[in-house]
Amino acid sequence: MMSRSLEGVQVTMRDGCALVADIYRPLKPQRPLPVMLLRTPYDRRLSTETNYAAPTWYARQGFIVVVQDTR
């Protein structure tokens, strides 16, 4: 199963602050999927170095993965 990603997605919080996220998901989901939210104060683009596996690996296993920078 392959994966696709959306990078640099701005998510506006209730207080108006916009946080940036990258979203990874399987190409052809067959069913509702679980979501894994990873938030980091460092840099979401470094998520492949700070997690057990790269977000694309989790997406290929059937998860939607959201990696989001914090404030």
Side-chain angles (χ1 to χ4, degrees):
M1 180 183 297
M2 299 295 289
S3 65
R4 64 181 169 167
S5 66
L6 296 170
E7 296 179 3
V9 177
Q10 288 196 358
V11 181
T12 303
M13 302 291 107
R14 289 185 301 204
D15 65 358
C17 180
L19 303 180
V20 181
D22 294 339
I23 304 170
Y24 303 84
R25 58 181 136 193
L27 279 178
K28 298 180 182 179
Q30 303 294 320
R31 56 185 168 27
L33 300 174
V35 176
M36 181 182 298
L37 174 61
L38 306 170
R39 300 186 77 212
T40 179
Y42 304 109
D43 187 343
R44 72 185 189 289
R45 294 168 293 193
L46 301 176
S47 63
T48 57
E49 298 173 19
T50 59
N51 298 309
Y52 291 111
T56 53
W57 183 86
Y58 290 109
R60 288 192 303 268
Q61 307 312 307
F63 288 87
I64 294 173
V65 182
V66 179
V67 182
Q68 184 181 53
D69 286 332
T70 57
R71 299 168 196 259

